[in-house]
């Protein structure tokens, strides 16, 4: 969570920091701040709320000449979103920004307070700067004082520190939270992901856990537990176009419309005429594997749930799904014949990353399905399959879910193919359906217009139930998550057949039921479940290729030949419905309250 940028060089620093933070704002937007040291002058600005507030506050400020600078956009973990709690945090003569959580901050804070240090904020981060200055008073070497500081930190962090005691240097450390260093001539950039430095830096180095050091005079001095460390820079991409809105009102809207195209990218080179190819996986990758366990969070968890049906039905491999934050503490029994799969859009989700580390410690082979190359989860995994969705900026995940689900579907066929549990006919049928997926994802004007009109009827009531069976149950969960994230209305996903075991008690005309009624999967069963709800006066919005008389609202879908095509077409409907309801309610679609795009805290 949160975003970090840093810059050392001659260029105007305020704009570099603010532009960089703008790229990271989706990661957290409770407050933002910057600190700059030029010569011996230190400037610091903070503002609560979105970055535009900080822009306003700094509009008369500009930097001149060489200097060092750090910036941060925050998603509150310790302490409320106030200016005092905003980063950068100040000591007597140093500033620090930090992502992650310092788990032992309370004991460090008490130790420092007992020596007379006054804390201004409620954050864990402030401990870093005071600890550094306390170390610096007895160890006049700034770098050694910084080293002593990070040695004492427990938890996950990526941190930058600037100090008047060494005013042309940025100190950095990374342990468990992402950070990279960009280079262009003598300019050095830091950031928690690469978007802020695209177009500025030309080469990049992705820091490893345990890396720390300092940047000075255009050079990076890198260390880890073994002392000085050599490193190799890589070229940094220059393509930022896909990160723009392209004329859509919201990133989420653009990303919904993009799904059809990105799906083609996801399949490219993998789905061939009569075979599935995954060059990412070594031959014999599945040798000795008899079961799959998948860990993920949120939307990625829903794509995992969908895939469990596919792995068992198509590949005939046992598959269990776990929410990563639950898995971590349940003392799971792990056996080495289990392939451990993690799914993550960002590749930085703390719970998923920690679950992966646990599985690795238990000796399991690991595979990640991820949208961000070089992310922590990708780097930690034995193998990874990228979803190729392009940058997803809307906090509410859309194209990431679609492409994850496609990769998992491809993987289920691949395993079936490798293990010879899949007939030629089934493979042909599945590939044929896959090839039609991009079409099923096209958003027609008629559909969007219809959902826009319908949305006005769903702005009140006491809640939504999204119901479905089989793979349409995880889709129901995902539809409900989308709606609640951006509309702030209560929505639940439920297995249609389970309503009669309790939730049906809630049914009345103010209970909105979004019924996923595919033709190709248990249509009669779900029809009965919806009839039961209709008989209790629930308001029914049916999504189906088959007309349904009892529906109060009906959205007709067109694909009715394969469950996955029905799945993807209905997915678009639920995404657009959530979007249009949120727009009508005047909510911030791309940055819904209390959320962040990448959840790098536990
Ligand atoms: O980056 P990840 O896929 O690991 O993120 C997991 C969840 O935080 C994420 O899917 C979240 O639920 C989305 N905001 C849902 O739209």
């Amino acid at each position: 969570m949160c975003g970090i940028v840093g810059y050392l060089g001659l260029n105007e620093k305020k704009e570099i920091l603010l532009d960089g933070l703008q790229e990271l704002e989706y990661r957290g937007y409770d407050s933002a701040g910057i600190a700059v040291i030029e010569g011996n002058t230190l400037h610091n600005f903070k503002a609560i709320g979105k970055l535009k507030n900080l822009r306003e506050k700094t509009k008369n400020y500009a930097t001149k000449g060489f200097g060092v600078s750090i910036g941060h956009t925050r998603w509150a973990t310790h302490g409320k979103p106030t200016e005092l709690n905003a980063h950068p945090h100040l000591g007597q003569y140093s500033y620090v920004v930090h992502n992650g959580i310092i788990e032992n901050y309370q004991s460090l804070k008490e130790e420092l307070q007992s020596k007379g240090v006054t804390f201004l904020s409620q954050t864990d981060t402030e401990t870093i700067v005071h600890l550094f200055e306390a170390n610096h008073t007895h160890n006049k070497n700034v770098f050694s004082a910084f080293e002593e500081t990070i040695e004492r930190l427990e938890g996950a962090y990526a941190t930058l520190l600037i100090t008047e005691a060494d005013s042309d240097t940025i100190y950095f450390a990374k342990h468990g939270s992402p950070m990279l260093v960009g280079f262009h001539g003598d300019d050095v950039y830091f950031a928690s992901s690469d978007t802020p430095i695209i177009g500025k830096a030309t080469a990049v180095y992705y820091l490893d856990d345990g890396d720390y050091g300092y940047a000075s005079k255009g050079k990076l001095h890198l260390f880890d537990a073994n002392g000085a460390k050599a490193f190799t820079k890589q070229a940094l991409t220059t393509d930022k176009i896909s990160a723009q809105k392209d004329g859509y009102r919201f990133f989420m809207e653009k990303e919904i419309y993009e799904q059809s195209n990105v799906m083609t990218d996801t399949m490219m080179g993998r789905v061939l005429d009569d075979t599935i190819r995954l060059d990412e996986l070594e031959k014999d990758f599945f040798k000795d594997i008899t079961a799959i366990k998948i860990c993920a969070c949120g939307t990625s968890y829903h794509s995992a749930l969908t895939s469990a049906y596919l792995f068992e039905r198509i590949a005939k491999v046992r598959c269990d799904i776990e929410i990563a934050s639950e898995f971590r503490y349940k003392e799971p029994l792990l056996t080495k014949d289990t392939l451990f799969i993690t799914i993550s859009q960002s590749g930085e989700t703390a719970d998923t990353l920690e679950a992966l580390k646990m599985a690795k410690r238990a000796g399991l082979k690991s595979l990640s399905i991820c949208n961000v190359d070089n992310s922590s989860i990708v780097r930690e995994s034995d193998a990874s399959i990228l979803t190729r969705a392009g940058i997803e900026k809307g906090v509410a995940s859309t194209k990431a879910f679609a492409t994850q689900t496609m990769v998992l579907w491809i993987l289920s066929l691949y395993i079936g193919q490798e293990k010879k549990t899949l007939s030629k006919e089934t493979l042909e049928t599945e590939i044929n359906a896959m090839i039609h997926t991009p079409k099923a994802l096209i958003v027609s004007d008629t559909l969007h217009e219809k959902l826009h009109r319908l949305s006005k009827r769903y702005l009140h009531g006491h809640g939504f139930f999204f119901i479905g069976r089989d793979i349409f149950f995880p889709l129901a969960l995902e539809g409900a998550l989308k709606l609640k994230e951006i509309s702030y209305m209560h929505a639940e996903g439920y297995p249609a057949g389970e309503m009669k075991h309790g939730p049906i008690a809630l049914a009345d005309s103010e209970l909105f039921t979004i019924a996923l009624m595919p033709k190709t999967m248990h249509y009669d069963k779900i029809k009965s479940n919806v009839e039961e709800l209709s008989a209790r006066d629930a308001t029914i919005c049916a999504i189906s290729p088959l007309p349904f008389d009892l529906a109060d609202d009906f959205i007709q879908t067109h694909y009715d030949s394969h469950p996955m095509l029905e799945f993807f077409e209905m997915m678009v409907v639920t995404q657009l419905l959530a979007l249009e309801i949120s727009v009508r309610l005047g909510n911030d679609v791309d940055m819904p309250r209390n959320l962040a795009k990448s959840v790098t805290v536990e």
Side-chain angles (χ1 to χ4, degrees):
M1 226 70 123
C2 310
I4 286 184
V5 286
Y7 169 70
L8 173 153
L10 282 164
N11 293 327
E12 209 291 299
K13 279 153 277 301
K14 179 191 81 176
E15 286 306 324
I16 290 176
L17 295 179
L18 292 182
D19 289 350
L21 292 176
Q22 191 77 60
E23 294 292 337
L24 296 172
E25 198 180 17
Y26 68 99
R27 291 177 61 90
Y29 36 87
D30 289 330
S31 60
I34 59 170
V36 179
I37 302 181
E38 285 175 293
N40 285 324
T41 325
L42 213 152
H43 300 274
N44 169 230
F45 301 89
K46 296 181 186 191
I48 54 171
K50 290 197 176 168
L51 197 64
K52 62 177 192 264
N53 301 341
L54 184 63
R55 276 199 192 279
E56 180 59 28
K57 234 181 177 171
T58 54
K59 67 178 182 217
N60 297 323
Y61 169 68
T63 67
K64 286 176 234 63
F66 177 83
V68 292
S69 57
I70 56 178
H72 189 269
T73 175
R74 176 169 187 253
W75 185 80
T77 52
H78 291 78
K80 293 206 160 86
T82 61
E83 226 172 85
L84 274 183
N85 285 335
H87 301 217
H89 287 284
L90 173 68
Q92 298 293 319
Y93 50 88
S94 319
Y95 273 103
V96 74
V97 291
H98 156 237
N99 279 356
I101 288 185
I102 306 299
E103 283 169 0
N104 59 335
Y105 87 100
Q106 202 60 49
S107 60
L108 292 173
K109 186 171 177 175
E110 281 160 22
E111 178 186 317
L112 290 159
Q113 280 171 328
S114 71
K115 291 181 185 155
V117 175
T118 308
F119 278 72
L120 297 175
S121 77
Q122 301 157 302
T123 65
D124 51 337
T125 304
E126 198 183 340
T127 3
I128 304 176
V129 71
H130 294 308
L131 187 59
F132 163 76
E133 290 188 351
N135 290 334
H136 187 233
T137 51
H138 68 78
N139 185 346
K140 289 294 171 203
N141 181 302
V142 178
F143 180 53
S144 307
F146 182 70
E147 259 185 322
E148 274 179 35
T149 305
I150 54 171
E151 266 164 29
R152 304 249 353 243
L153 304 180
E154 287 168 20
Y157 53 84
T159 186
L160 297 179
L161 180 141
I162 55 176
T163 175
E164 285 177 283
D166 185 6
S167 60
D168 60 2
T169 304
I170 299 183
Y171 292 85
F172 65 90
K174 172 199 170 353
H175 183 80
S177 290
M179 176 124 82
L180 51 89
V181 194
F183 305 88
H184 181 68
D186 281 345
D187 292 342
V188 182
Y189 299 83
F190 290 88
S192 47
S193 81
D194 52 16
T195 38
I197 63 167
I198 293 176
K200 297 186 172 80
T202 43
V204 66
Y205 172 68
Y206 294 92
L207 294 168
D208 288 325
D209 279 346
D211 281 356
Y212 67 95
Y214 60 94
S216 171
K217 300 193 173 58
K219 280 222 167 74
L220 187 77
H221 302 264
L222 186 66
F223 301 81
D224 66 8
N226 302 318
K229 179 178 167 183
F231 66 97
T232 315
K233 299 174 192 172
Q234 335 177 352
L236 180 68
T237 174
T238 51
D239 176 20
K240 233 180 180 179
I241 296 165
S242 59
Q244 309 301 325
K245 271 192 209 160
D246 280 350
Y248 290 98
R249 295 170 297 171
F250 310 100
F251 281 111
M252 182 187 178
E253 186 176 41
K254 172 179 168 267
E255 286 154 8
I256 292 171
Y257 274 77
E258 268 175 2
Q259 292 178 117
S260 171
N261 284 337
V262 295
M263 203 54 115
T264 310
D265 293 343
T266 305
M267 291 192 290
M268 198 176 297
R270 293 168 173 166
V271 181
L272 308 181
D273 286 350
D274 55 1
T275 187
I276 299 289
R277 220 172 116 166
L278 284 173
D279 292 341
E280 296 88 340
L281 304 181
E282 283 172 9
K283 204 170 160 31
D284 292 339
F285 188 80
F286 292 97
K287 193 166 166 276
D288 304 328
I289 295 294
T290 61
I292 292 173
K293 188 177 274 297
I294 310 186
C295 265
C297 304
T299 286
S300 299
Y301 169 68
H302 296 154
S303 69
L305 286 176
T306 310
S307 74
Y309 293 89
L310 306 178
F311 284 123
E312 300 209 343
R313 191 174 290 142
I314 297 177
K316 310 288 180 219
V317 179
R318 189 157 50 77
C319 179
D320 301 316
I321 313 298
E322 309 245 13
I323 289 186
S325 55
E326 286 299 310
F327 173 82
R328 287 179 64 181
Y329 300 104
K330 69 182 281 202
E331 298 179 27
L333 296 177
L334 299 171
T335 52
K336 291 188 179 151
D337 60 346
T338 302
L339 173 67
F340 192 81
I341 301 184
T342 48
I343 307 177
S344 174
Q345 187 287 127
S346 60
E348 303 296 348
T349 301
D351 286 318
T352 311
L353 180 60
E354 287 308 315
L356 168 59
K357 288 180 181 167
M358 258 175 76
K360 283 184 70 182
R361 282 195 294 274
L364 270 65
K365 187 181 252 191
S366 59
L367 169 67
S368 61
I369 293 171
C370 191
N371 194 32
V372 182
D373 199 5
N374 289 312
S375 58
S376 304
I377 288 176
V378 166
R379 281 182 282 130
E380 196 68 37
S381 306
D382 293 325
S384 52
I385 306 177
L386 295 178
T387 48
R388 305 177 182 162
I391 293 171
E392 187 182 66
K393 286 209 153 193
V395 165
S397 188
T398 51
K399 61 178 180 170
F401 175 72
T403 53
Q404 286 167 352
T405 307
M406 173 54 86
V407 165
L408 289 158
W409 185 13
I410 292 174
L411 187 62
S412 69
L413 290 182
Y414 182 79
I415 299 176
Q417 197 180 263
E418 295 299 291
K419 288 192 168 288
K420 309 205 181 340
T421 50
L422 186 64
S423 72
K424 202 166 163 277
E425 294 69 40
T426 311
L427 182 63
E428 254 174 46
T429 312
E430 297 298 304
I431 288 182
N432 186 41
M434 275 177 180
I435 290 167
H436 284 88
T437 306
K439 275 202 180 149
L441 290 166
I442 291 173
V443 182
S444 71
D445 289 350
T446 326
L447 174 69
H448 199 158
E449 180 49 33
K450 170 143 197 177
L451 289 163
H452 169 68
R453 270 186 293 113
L454 268 189
S455 59
K456 64 175 176 285
R457 298 162 58 158
Y458 293 95
L459 308 178
H460 62 289
H462 56 70
F464 288 76
F465 270 92
F466 284 67
I467 59 169
R469 281 174 172 259
D470 206 283
I471 52 171
F472 295 86
F473 162 50
L475 183 59
L477 289 171
E478 175 58 11
L481 177 62
K482 274 320 63 110
L483 183 65
K484 68 186 144 205
E485 267 186 301
I486 60 174
S487 74
Y488 317 144
M489 290 197 290
H490 182 73
E492 272 188 71
Y494 234 78
E498 189 67 12
M499 292 297 283
K500 58 184 173 293
H501 297 290
I504 202 165
L506 296 171
D508 65 17
S509 59
E510 294 290 287
L511 180 79
F512 300 135
T513 303
I514 313 293
L516 307 177
M517 303 176 70
K519 182 180 162 202
T520 52
M521 202 144 243
H522 316 307
Y523 180 79
D524 290 335
K525 302 269 179 225
I526 186 158
K527 186 164 168 268
S528 310
N529 301 141
V530 181
E531 281 164 1
E532 287 154 15
L533 281 156
S534 172
R536 271 94 187 161
D537 214 19
T539 296
I540 310 289
C541 174
I543 307 174
S544 180
L546 300 176
F548 181 57
D549 288 347
L550 293 177
D552 298 278
D553 285 315
F554 181 66
I555 297 153
Q556 174 132 35
T557 47
H558 300 93
Y559 285 83
D560 61 1
S561 60
H562 190 285
M564 289 305 288
L565 291 177
E566 292 205 71
F567 178 99
F568 283 118
E569 192 181 3
M570 289 187 188
M571 176 199 74
V572 172
V573 174
T574 57
Q575 293 168 342
L576 286 172
L577 181 66
L579 173 90
E580 287 303 325
I581 290 176
S582 171
V583 175
R584 280 197 191 269
L585 291 170
N587 297 344
D588 189 335
V589 171
D590 285 331
M591 293 189 193
R593 70 185 184 201
N594 304 338
L595 297 178
K597 183 66 186 163
S598 176
V599 187
T600 49
V601 291
E602 198 180 339

